[in-house]
Amino acid sequence: MATPPTPVSDGSNLSGVTAEAPGERIEDVDVSAEMQGSFLEYAYSVIYSRALPDARDGLKPVQRRILYQMTEMGLRPDRGHVKSSRVVGDVMGKLHPHGDASIYDAMVRLTQDFMLRVPLIDGHGNFGSLDDGPAAPRYTEVRLDGAALAMTEGLDEDVVNFVPNYDNQFTQPEVLPAAFPNLLVNGASGIAVGMATNMAPHNLIEVIGAARHLLDNPDASLDELMEFVPGPDLPTGGTIIGLAGIRDAYSTGRGAFKTRAKVAVEAISARKTGLVVTELPYLVGPERVIEKIKDGVNSKKINGISDVTDLTDRKHGLRLVIGIKTGFSPDAVLEQLFSLTPLEDSFNINNVALVDGGPRTLGLKELLQVYVAHRLSVVTRRSQYRLERRRERLHLVEGLLVAILDIDEVIQVIRTSDDSEAARARLVEVFDLSVVQAEYILELRLRRLTRFSRIELETERDQLHREIEELEAILSDPARIRRVVSDELEATAEKFGTPRRTLLTEARPSIATTTSRSAKAAAPDLEIADTPCRVYLSTTGRAIRVDLPDDGTELPAAKRRSKHDAIRSTVDTTSRAEIGAVTSLGRLIRFTAVDLPSVPANSVQLAAGARIADYLALPNKKERVLGLVSLSSDVPIALGTAQGVVKRVSPGLPSKPDFEIISLKTGDEVIGVSQGPESDDLVFVTADAQLLHFAAAAVRPQGISAAGMAGMNISAKSTAIFFGAVEPGEEVVVVTISGSSEVLAGTDPGRAKVSALGEFPGKGRATSGVRAHSFLKGEHALSVAWVGPAPATAVGADGSARTLPDSGAKRDASGSPLDAVVGSIGTSL
């Protein structure tokens, strides 16, 4: 039998009648109307049941269901954690049938202290970071935090309405009681259909202060409320710059503000300065910042950065160290980072929340008004519930007291009754009780009907009378209800409040905003200007830079004070020019003073400066920096060693970072360095108190590989302890301090003598010199010697000032006793 051909439709239905198969019913619908209706249903579901928080408790439905179910499970803060999977399963099975992933994601957010200002769930395990997601729910554990108990407190006292769950088997609260304004405190974010919400967290103490003010002053203005809530308080701290956008958000519900990281300029090593980031803008993680910095450096948009190190850990918190290249201004580099990286970020406020079942955009006052009205309703319903329960209990207690007064007759009535129904009826009739009272007496155990029970019942009756009177007074007076709400808010603030973390400031101009449009393509100049400066090296081994004005004026030395007044060496240079440091091992180390601590030329107080050994990163602790020299000068450098060798180094030094400037013999070391013309006199002083000075012209300049020539003839048992150069025409003094061999070194101040260099006759190079100090009994050597321009300045080992005798002593005198030990001697500023 042939199969009949299948009819083919051309898509037209001219008659408007649809063919129906037996048993089927097909209806024509308008596609546009069906799509519109379905979309509206979907949009309503997303807005009301998923994406937007309720303005009363600040929670989305899934968050509310999590907290409620955990409360029902008894996961209190004083109990142990349970697996997150267990909570997720209970919530999904009973209240929220939308998948375990959405439930766990919402639970994770409630635990994260970098997302919420007051976390509501106490998590145990890896709950993620801003740059990484959490562990799976089978690996983490949770329990309620103390603040969550405040959110759910009173649910068993009919304070809110309960609604059926998705299958009408259980009930759930329509809203939580919310003992604090959670929506403002913890903020919210969500994307619905055609709308979105993005609310910033605030400080709990400040928000509660504003709510209490609104309770006392319902007509309070926005300015009054902003005195309590000046701006958001973000969980990660940071700095908010520009407050105009915040006021717009508080007024209209929409606004924006910029947040900046908390950054400090610190010395991360002796010669290297860095930017240390300890707080980031809200919702910005360190890995995102590092990635943006690397991209900017690779694309040549960011200059002056040498490295980025993330030292963040759980013990010390966030610590991101950004190294700055030598010669770059840290402040300028920081402004560049604010412009090109998430170290400065924007936050757009859009205060959309559900009010009476519909979305509304709310300002600060409206948000507080909705919460305050909710809290007044909660306290009213709670008071009414408690009043009813206490009245019911009082009714029972009064019935018991009637029974106890005539307990024998009560027992007789019960014993002579045929059944409980008859007993109940006779008790009502004989003792004038209510049915409820009679039933309660029948169910009562006989041991309660004692003399002590009567005393307890009378006490309870009196207490119930007082509580009922108090509750009736509260319910009859709206002002009393407001006072109760205000007091409870105050207690919540004291329990859960913390100090403000985010600093609020007005906006500061940055490189990005001050450059013109035409100059945007050009990179800003981030390098420190090459300005004139003077570098000082103290006798205690610290260096500092004094920036000089272009006109050459500076504060007179007589008016300046320093923490290290004894100066060993001074060099006039520029901040970016290279200078040399000559060490005791005969090395010259090139460096720039750009990263040295600096003070302006008119500064009265000089800082302590940086330890030059750390600044140059000397590998050998025994190596000391003896002096600073200019590398741009053609004046030779003079050096003297402990074995009496002298050398003048020719100009034209190598461009190496460091090199040997003299070839030292085994056991020898450099004791002094100076840079001056041939007209200078070179001076040696030995430990056995011999002084020799001769013209610098007597020493022929040599190359760096030379070992020098004989400068002073020193006895085999002694060494030179000072070498330097002086100008013959200056007022030059010789300071010598003798030491005792009978006491521990450094404990006896010794005897000091200050003489004029003119008292010492000059001798030729490679001679023994003349006596410079006479030793008394017990003294065997000089502990300190110095020759230089008057006046000489003496300091202790810690840089504190010491007093020297007056100048004018004979060259071979024995000196005067000192009050304190002198560590070193130098010139004054």
Side-chain angles (χ1 to χ4, degrees):
M1 182 177 178
T3 303
T6 303
V8 179
S9 172
D10 61 357
S12 64
N13 186 2
L14 300 178
S15 64
V17 178
T18 304
E20 299 182 5
E24 292 183 352
R25 181 169 176 240
I26 300 175
E27 295 182 4
D28 287 334
V29 297
D30 185 68
V31 175
S32 62
E34 178 66 22
M35 291 295 294
Q36 183 178 9
S38 298
F39 180 78
L40 289 176
E41 289 182 7
Y42 168 74
Y44 179 80
S45 174
V46 172
I47 292 171
Y48 183 75
S49 301
R50 289 169 59 185
L52 298 184
D54 193 296
R56 293 170 291 179
D57 62 2
L59 297 172
K60 300 177 184 179
V62 63
Q63 297 171 329
R64 187 180 303 114
R65 290 163 183 167
I66 290 171
L67 296 180
Y68 173 66
Q69 188 59 36
M70 291 181 69
T71 303
E72 291 294 291
M73 295 171 67
L75 303 181
R76 300 173 56 85
D78 55 351
R79 298 183 182 178
H81 296 79
V82 301
K83 285 291 184 182
S84 299
S85 296
R86 177 183 168 190
V87 177
V88 170
D90 277 15
V91 173
M92 183 172 59
K94 294 182 178 181
L95 305 175
H96 194 78
H98 297 294
D100 56 346
S102 62
I103 298 173
Y104 186 57
D105 289 345
M107 179 189 297
V108 166
R109 188 180 189 278
L110 294 175
T111 68
Q112 294 173 332
D113 57 2
F114 54 84
M115 296 292 293
L116 303 186
R117 192 59 180 81
V118 180
L120 301 177
I121 294 180
D122 177 16
H124 184 263
N126 177 17
F127 281 89
S129 66
L130 287 167
D131 298 311
D132 196 11
R138 62 182 179 273
Y139 299 121
T140 60
E141 298 176 342
V142 292
R143 66 183 178 188
L144 291 174
D145 208 321
L149 293 184
M151 291 290 294
T152 60
E153 185 179 8
L155 281 176
D156 57 346
E157 294 183 297
D158 191 33
V159 293
V160 295
N161 295 332
F162 276 69
V163 295
N165 71 331
Y166 65 92
D167 60 1
N168 293 320
Q169 293 190 24
F170 303 97
T171 59
Q172 58 186 337
E174 183 183 48
V175 65
L176 295 186
F180 60 90
N182 178 62
L183 186 57
L184 276 167
V185 172
N186 282 325
S189 63
I191 300 175
V193 178
M195 64 186 66
T197 185
N198 199 35
M199 304 180 67
H202 291 76
N203 185 273
L204 175 67
I205 298 175
E206 295 175 356
V207 172
I208 286 182
R212 296 183 65 203
H213 181 74
L214 192 62
L215 278 166
D216 296 336
N217 305 276
D219 298 326
S221 65
L222 179 61
D223 290 334
E224 293 177 17
L225 296 177
M226 287 189 66
E227 292 181 3
F228 296 91
V229 186
D233 186 23
L234 307 175
T236 53
T239 302
I240 293 178
I241 56 174
L243 306 181
I246 295 175
R247 180 175 178 80
D248 291 341
Y250 288 168
S251 176
T252 66
R254 298 178 186 273
F257 61 86
K258 288 184 178 294
T259 58
R260 281 186 174 181
K262 183 178 180 181
V263 187
V265 179
E266 296 183 8
I268 56 180
S269 67
R271 291 188 67 178
K272 192 172 184 180
T273 302
L275 303 173
V276 179
V277 182
T278 53
E279 295 176 3
L280 286 174
Y282 187 44
L283 305 180
V284 174
E287 290 185 9
R288 179 182 164 196
V289 174
I290 294 174
E291 181 181 357
K292 288 293 185 180
I293 292 176
K294 289 182 178 178
D295 291 344
V297 172
N298 293 334
S299 62
K300 309 298 184 182
K301 293 181 179 179
I302 299 178
N303 301 314
I305 293 178
S306 60
D307 57 81
V308 182
T309 307
D310 188 2
L311 302 178
T312 302
D313 57 33
R314 292 186 177 182
K315 181 178 180 181
H316 301 95
L318 176 70
R319 185 174 177 84
L320 196 63
V321 180
I322 304 172
I324 304 298
K325 291 181 179 179
T326 300
F328 283 80
S329 169
D331 293 331
V333 173
L334 179 58
E335 288 293 332
Q336 184 184 217
L337 291 175
F338 282 149
S339 173
L340 301 175
T341 72
L343 288 181
E344 181 179 298
D345 200 19
S346 295
F347 188 94
N348 295 316
I349 298 177
N350 190 22
N351 295 336
V352 179
L354 296 176
V355 179
D356 298 329
R360 281 181 54 189
T361 302
L362 306 171
L364 176 63
K365 184 174 181 180
E366 290 78 12
L367 285 167
L368 290 172
Q369 285 175 330
V370 171
Y371 172 77
V372 166
H374 170 61
R375 197 60 195 168
L376 289 171
S377 172
V378 166
V379 172
T380 301
R381 293 181 59 165
R382 185 188 65 195
S383 300
Q384 186 64 46
Y385 177 86
R386 291 177 177 177
L387 178 60
E388 293 173 358
R389 299 291 84 76
R390 279 153 181 75
R391 284 173 175 173
E392 292 173 359
R393 178 60 185 171
L394 178 62
H395 185 60
L396 296 177
V397 169
E398 289 175 342
L400 284 177
L401 287 173
V402 171
I404 288 177
L405 288 176
D406 203 351
I407 186 61
D408 294 335
E409 188 175 353
V410 169
I411 295 174
Q412 182 65 28
V413 167
I414 296 174
R415 290 184 62 183
T416 57
S417 299
D418 295 334
D419 52 28
S420 59
E421 291 293 335
R424 183 187 308 111
R426 292 183 62 189
L427 286 174
V428 171
E429 180 182 356
V430 174
F431 296 100
D432 194 21
L433 300 174
S434 68
V435 175
V436 175
Q437 291 174 324
E439 183 66 30
Y440 187 70
I441 292 172
L442 287 174
E443 295 178 356
L444 195 67
R445 294 184 179 182
L446 290 176
R447 64 182 181 184
R448 288 289 310 274
L449 304 178
T450 64
R451 181 171 61 87
F452 295 104
S453 295
R454 177 183 176 182
I455 296 174
E456 294 174 359
L457 289 171
E458 289 176 345
T459 303
E460 184 180 358
R461 179 195 60 191
D462 297 339
Q463 178 65 25
L464 287 170
H465 276 297
R466 288 193 294 269
E467 292 178 359
I468 290 172
E469 183 180 354
E470 177 66 19
L471 290 170
E472 289 175 341
I474 291 175
L475 290 170
S476 63
D477 186 359
R480 290 282 298 272
I481 296 179
R482 289 180 173 273
R483 193 178 313 125
V484 171
V485 172
S486 180
D487 293 343
E488 291 180 354
L489 285 173
E490 182 182 16
T492 302
E494 292 178 357
K495 187 174 183 180
F496 301 110
T498 54
R500 166 172 280 274
R501 299 174 186 172
T502 302
L503 178 66
L504 302 175
T505 64
E506 289 294 346
R508 296 173 292 172
S510 63
I511 292 176
T513 57
T514 54
T515 54
S516 64
R517 291 182 177 268
S518 60
K520 280 187 177 180
D525 185 10
L526 306 179
E527 296 186 0
I528 298 175
D530 192 19
T531 56
C533 67
R534 180 169 296 151
V535 181
Y536 291 100
L537 176 65
S538 74
T539 59
T540 55
R542 291 184 175 271
I544 192 170
R545 185 183 86 235
V546 176
D547 295 326
L548 304 177
D550 295 335
D551 59 4
T553 60
E554 62 173 312
L555 191 71
K559 295 184 179 181
R560 183 177 290 153
R561 295 293 181 267
S562 169
K563 295 182 180 179
H564 296 277
D565 285 338
I567 302 301
R568 181 190 296 274
S569 182
T570 304
V571 172
D572 287 334
T573 180
T574 60
S575 56
R576 300 183 61 83
E578 284 191 328
I579 56 179
V582 180
T583 73
S584 58
L585 299 185
R587 291 199 305 150
L588 187 146
I589 303 173
R590 290 176 175 267
F591 73 99
T592 62
V594 67
D595 289 326
L596 281 174
S598 64
V599 295
N602 59 356
S603 176
V604 175
Q605 179 71 41
L606 293 186
R611 291 181 57 86
I612 191 66
D614 295 337
Y615 186 78
L616 300 177
L618 299 182
N620 190 340
K621 293 185 178 180
K622 295 182 179 180
E623 187 175 18
R624 309 182 319 277
V625 176
L626 300 176
L628 306 177
V629 295
S630 172
L631 300 181
S632 59
S633 172
D634 58 357
V635 178
I637 301 170
L639 303 96
T641 74
Q643 295 180 5
V645 176
V646 66
K647 179 181 179 181
R648 295 180 72 216
V649 184
S650 305
L653 299 175
S655 58
K656 299 178 180 179
D658 64 274
F659 52 88
E660 288 188 355
I661 196 171
I662 183 174
S663 295
L664 294 173
K665 296 180 180 179
T666 303
D668 199 4
E669 66 174 357
V670 178
I671 60 170
V673 60
S674 181
Q675 189 173 25
E678 292 185 349
S679 59
D680 283 354
D681 275 355
L682 303 181
V683 185
F684 277 99
V685 181
T686 64
D688 58 357
Q690 294 294 116
L691 183 147
L692 172 66
H693 66 94
F694 54 89
V699 182
R700 174 178 53 86
Q702 298 175 307
I704 63 170
S705 60
M709 58 185 68
M712 182 178 186
N713 186 13
I714 302 175
S715 66
K717 295 182 179 181
S718 185
T719 58
I721 62 173
F722 173 81
F723 171 81
V726 296
E727 295 182 19
E730 283 188 332
E731 182 184 353
V732 179
V733 296
V734 177
V735 182
T736 52
I737 300 177
S738 58
S740 175
S741 60
E742 300 177 354
V743 297
L744 187 64
T747 59
D748 180 21
R751 303 174 68 87
K753 177 180 68 69
V754 181
S755 307
L757 182 62
E759 295 286 328
F760 298 81
K763 298 284 186 179
R765 180 180 63 82
T767 60
S768 301
V770 296
R771 176 166 291 280
H773 197 105
S774 294
F775 295 131
L776 300 180
K777 184 178 180 180
E779 297 177 342
H780 70 289
L782 294 180
S783 59
V784 179
W786 180 82
V787 181
T793 302
V795 295
D798 59 352
S800 55
R802 298 287 187 264
T803 302
L804 292 172
D806 294 335
S807 178
K810 294 182 179 180
R811 67 176 180 86
D812 58 351
S814 58
S816 306
L818 291 173
D819 296 331
V821 175
V822 172
S824 56
I825 303 173
T827 61
S828 61
L829 289 173

